Every structure is written in C-alpha cells, then in structure tokens.
Amino acid sequence: MMKKNNIYYNTKIESLLKAYPNSKFFLITDDNLFSLYQNFLTTTFANVDLSITTIPEGEKAKTIKEYQRVVELLIKAEIRRNDVIVAFGGGVVGDLAGFVAATILRGVTFINIPTTLLAMVDSALGGKVGINSEAGKNLIGAFKNADKIIVNEQFLKTLPQQELINGYGEIVKAAFISDRTIFSLLTDDQPSLKLIKKVQKVKLALVKSDYFDKNKRQYLNFGHSFAHAIEKESNYQVPHGYAVFQGMEIALKIGMVLKITTPSDLRLLEKYFSLYQIKPYQKPYFKLLKYLKNDKKNTQELTTLILIKERALIKTMKEVELDELLSLASEL
Ligand SMILES: NC(=O)c1ccc[n+]([C@@H]2O[C@H](COP(=O)([O-])OP(=O)(O)OC[C@H]3O[C@@H](n4cnc5c(N)ncnc54)[C@H](O)[C@@H]3O)[C@@H](O)[C@H]2O)c1
C-alpha cells in the first residue's frame, strides 16, 4: 500500500474500508459517474453497509438546495457520528460531500475518491469544501480534511478531453508557481501518477505553510482572478480550464509590462495553448476589469495579483493601476 500524508495511491479501496469496522458508508456521487461506475462501486463496497446518493452532474449541483436535500436524506437514513461519507467524483462531488461531512451531526468522517484530474491534483487536497451562493461560487464552506484521499489514475481513462484540460490548467499553474520540472512530465498522453504526485506536492506544501489562505496559499490563484472574470463575462460558457490558461497568459503579460516576467515564460505557456488547442482570450483585456471588481481576492480598492519571476510572488495594486496594466498588456 502506498501512502503519503493521508493519500493512498492505487490502493484497493476494499482493504481501506476495514479501518472503519462499525460504520455505515454513505457514498455521494453524480448521475454521470453513477451510470459509468455503478458496477465498480457495488463490487468495491460489497462487504460493507453502503448507501449511495446521487446528485446531478456539474456545477449546478453545488447549491444550498442540493446540500439540504442530501443532508435530509442522510438524516432520514439515520446516519450516526461514527459513519463515513465517501465522495466519489470530481470537485463538485468532493466539495458538496465534504461540506455535508463537515456539517452533518457537527461532522463525520470523510473519504474522498477523486475521479477527475482537477480533483486529483487540486480540489481533493487542502481541506476546502463548500457550495455556491446565488451571489457567487464557493461562498459557503468549511475546512474539512479527508481522513483518506484515494487516488487512482485509472479513473481518468473515462474522463472527456475537456475535463482533462481543466486539470492541465492547474498543472501548468503548479509548474509556473513552484516546480518547473513538472513541465517535462506534461505530454498529450494520459497523465501519469508521477505527474499527479508532483503537482499534489506543490499544493500540499503551500497549504501546509498557510492553511487558512492568508498568504502563500494565494500563489495557487495564479491566473485565477482573470480566469474567474473570463468565466463570468462569458456567462460560464468558457470552461474553467480554458479560462485558467487564458488568465495565466494575461498575468504573465502583466508581469512582462512590469519587467518581472520574462518573454520566455510566455512562450512556454503558448506551447500548451497549441498542445491542448486553446484559443487566447480576445483582447482588449481591460474589458475584464468590471468582472474583477467583486472577486473574493480583492479587498476594497486593492487587487492582489500573483506574478511570476521564476516562481510566484504576490503583488497588490490599486484598481486604477490594474486598468492601465491591462491596457498595456493587451499590446503585447
Ligand atoms: N475545494 C477546493 O479546494 C477546490 C479547488 C479547485 C476547484 N474546486 C471546485 O471543483 C469543481 C470542479 O471540479 P471538476 O473539474 O472535477 O468538475 P466536476 O466535478 O463537475 O466533474 C466534471 C465532469 O466530469 C464527470 N466525471 C468525473 N469523473 C469522471 C470520470 N472518471 N470519467 C468520466 N466522467 C467523469 C462528471 O460527471 C462531470 O460531468 C468546481 O466546483 C470548483 O469550485 C474546489
């Protein structure tokens, strides 16, 4: 059995369940995964008391309404303090199930089995769980560490290309902010376990140094303020991973205007635009300013940007300054 922190790699799930001899397992997954993996799940959990709850697939499930529906179902099914909630899915399932686990009966044990690349390298790590409010994404949540995170890259074989790109966005980000050796493991083949582990290491190190997201954990937001603005502007028609690539391009160009980032970094990013067939964001960039204003990472009139100079660094600036920088960056 390979284990690091509380992450288990390619480990038989059956054997890990033995750690909870008197527990019932409440597995939460989405409709899409349930149809793909129903047989796998019933076989894997055959020797324990299992109940499966499905939620709709996609971001639309991360609502208070869906949270309430799941909680009420589990309470009706008489969930007890020593039972276990298992998330089997991508970031949506993990975030919602984790939030249920954090709050139901004031908290029960949580196991996360990520099935998307993004969830394996990002959302399943670091303890952030939550749902969306009508006012914005991830505004309701908690910190809840999974007791076990079970990673098996075989699940990625059924993952559509667009979902892989969502993961690659976070992988390229991790390479830029902290570990450039990651670039050499990025190919157009299926992602390897070695790659997944390296990217996890970047997030885990930042989370460890700043669990409550006051300082260095913000490096993980490289490109993300712009990505969120791009998603909002498109009314969420641009998928997250594509928006992250486009956001990183804008952040690198701002770094170049400020003479912090080198042009070779921009060329490096552009390589992945062609590898994954991603189109750059349509200039001019200052169109994004109004969508940047109510980003969670901005306080009053100050905007926090993550820029790259070999590794990440934090820079705060006034909104007016950002407006000008966006205009100058558009000319590059
Ligand atoms: N908690 C955190 O720290 C954190 C970090 C980053 C992102 N997130 C959240 O993660 C969410 C996005 O997660 P996501 O990108 O994993 O999307 P997702 O959970 O919506 O999954 C994407 C799609 O892939 C399908 N799918 C999942 N695994 C599959 C598989 N193995 N085979 C075939 N299809 C599969 C799902 O059914 C869904 O349709 C967002 O809500 C975001 O806010 C959270």
Side-chain angles (χ1 to χ4, degrees), residues 176-209:
F176 270 117
I177 63 174
S178 167
D179 179 2
R180 289 182 178 235
T181 65
I182 289 172
F183 284 124
S184 62
L185 298 174
L186 257 177
T187 61
D188 50 2
D189 288 342
Q190 278 289 109
S192 64
L193 191 59
K194 191 171 172 197
L195 170 69
I196 292 168
K197 282 186 183 173
K198 252 188 194 287
V199 181
Q200 287 181 332
K201 215 169 141 191
V202 170
K203 176 154 183 184
L204 290 169
L206 290 170
V207 168
K208 198 171 164 198
S209 70

Side-chain angles (χ1 to χ4, degrees), residues 28-47:
I28 301 174
T29 189
D30 71 31
D31 292 333
N32 185 22
L33 278 157
F34 185 67
S35 61
L36 287 169
Y37 287 95
Q38 183 177 9
N39 289 343
F40 168 81
L41 291 174
T42 41
T43 319
T44 304
F45 289 83
N47 296 325

Side-chain angles (χ1 to χ4, degrees), residues 30 32 57 59 62 90-92 95 115-116 128 138 155 158:
D30 71 31
N32 185 22
E57 73 75 40
E59 194 65 32
K62 262 176 68 174
V92 165
D95 278 10
T115 61
T116 62
K128 284 188 186 175
N138 301 324
F155 294 131
T158 53

Side-chain angles (χ1 to χ4, degrees), residues 37-314:
Y37 287 95
Q38 183 177 9
N39 289 343
F40 168 81
L41 291 174
T42 41
T43 319
T44 304
F45 289 83
N47 296 325
V48 297
D49 189 339
L50 175 73
S51 119
I52 298 181
T53 305
T54 59
I55 62 171
E57 73 75 40
E59 194 65 32
K60 58 187 177 294
K62 262 176 68 174
T63 58
I64 299 181
K65 220 169 149 189
E66 196 52 30
Y67 162 77
Q68 186 182 14
R69 188 185 70 84
V70 174
V71 166
E72 297 294 352
L73 270 175
L74 268 47
I75 290 172
K76 238 184 226 150
E78 297 178 354
I79 186 169
R80 299 157 307 167
R81 285 297 301 276
N82 70 331
D83 290 339
V84 179
I85 289 182
V86 182
F88 181 79
V92 165
V93 169
D95 278 10
L96 179 93
F99 188 52
V100 172
T103 48
I104 200 165
L105 309 178
R106 294 203 179 80
V108 301
T109 302
F110 177 46
I111 293 179
N112 200 344
I113 310 176
T115 61
T116 62
L117 184 57
L118 178 129
M120 289 178 195
V121 298
D122 187 354
S123 64
L125 313 172
K128 284 188 186 175
V129 293
I131 53 176
N132 301 330
S133 118
E134 278 172 15
K137 275 189 66 169
N138 301 324
L139 293 180
I140 304 158
F143 285 93
K144 169 81 178 170
N145 279 325
D147 200 44
K148 292 183 172 47
I149 299 164
I150 307 174
V151 174
N152 189 329
E153 81 278 20
Q154 298 303 321
F155 294 131
L156 302 178
K157 287 191 175 150
T158 53
L159 196 65
Q161 174 68 6
Q162 182 174 310
E163 299 304 333
L164 280 173
I165 304 274
N166 286 338
Y168 287 134
E170 303 305 333
I171 290 174
V172 168
K173 174 197 80 182
F176 270 117
I177 63 174
S178 167
D179 179 2
R180 289 182 178 235
T181 65
I182 289 172
F183 284 124
S184 62
L185 298 174
L186 257 177
T187 61
D188 50 2
D189 288 342
Q190 278 289 109
S192 64
L193 191 59
K194 191 171 172 197
L195 170 69
I196 292 168
K197 282 186 183 173
K198 252 188 194 287
V199 181
Q200 287 181 332
K201 215 169 141 191
V202 170
K203 176 154 183 184
L204 290 169
L206 290 170
V207 168
K208 198 171 164 198
S209 70
D210 177 25
Y211 188 69
F212 288 108
D213 205 358
K214 304 257 180 260
N215 185 279
K216 279 196 168 175
R217 191 168 175 167
Q218 293 183 29
Y219 289 176
L220 295 164
N221 296 330
F222 169 53
H224 278 56
S225 296
F226 299 121
H228 293 153
I230 291 166
E231 287 177 280
K232 262 189 235 164
E233 189 199 32
S234 76
N235 209 5
Y236 294 94
Q237 294 308 298
V238 176
H240 181 68
Y242 292 77
V244 168
F245 273 103
Q246 294 175 341
M248 289 190 288
E249 181 183 22
I250 299 173
L252 288 181
K253 284 187 177 174
I254 288 185
M256 281 166 64
V257 172
L258 292 168
K259 308 249 178 301
I260 290 172
T261 306
T262 61
S264 59
D265 280 345
L266 183 63
R267 283 196 293 277
L268 187 56
L269 179 71
E270 280 165 357
K271 215 175 99 186
Y272 296 97
F273 273 77
S274 52
L275 184 64
Y276 303 129
Q277 291 166 16
I278 294 162
K279 289 199 185 84
Y281 176 74
Q282 286 289 313
K283 295 168 181 180
Y285 298 147
F286 60 75
K287 284 186 292 177
L288 291 172
L289 200 64
K290 67 174 177 197
Y291 301 97
L292 285 163
K293 283 189 183 156
N294 50 8
D295 195 274
K296 255 192 304 180
K297 284 152 216 102
N298 297 342
T299 48
Q300 290 142 19
E301 269 102 70
L302 282 183
T303 300
T304 305
L305 275 193
I306 311 302
L307 300 175
I308 300 296
K309 183 179 189 170
E310 286 168 22
R311 288 175 171 215
L313 56 98
I314 293 177

Side-chain angles (χ1 to χ4, degrees), residues 258 315-326:
L258 292 168
K315 190 159 169 56
T316 51
M317 60 186 72
K318 294 228 171 80
E319 239 171 50
V320 273
E321 201 186 339
L322 182 61
D323 193 5
E324 197 184 316
L325 282 170
L326 282 167

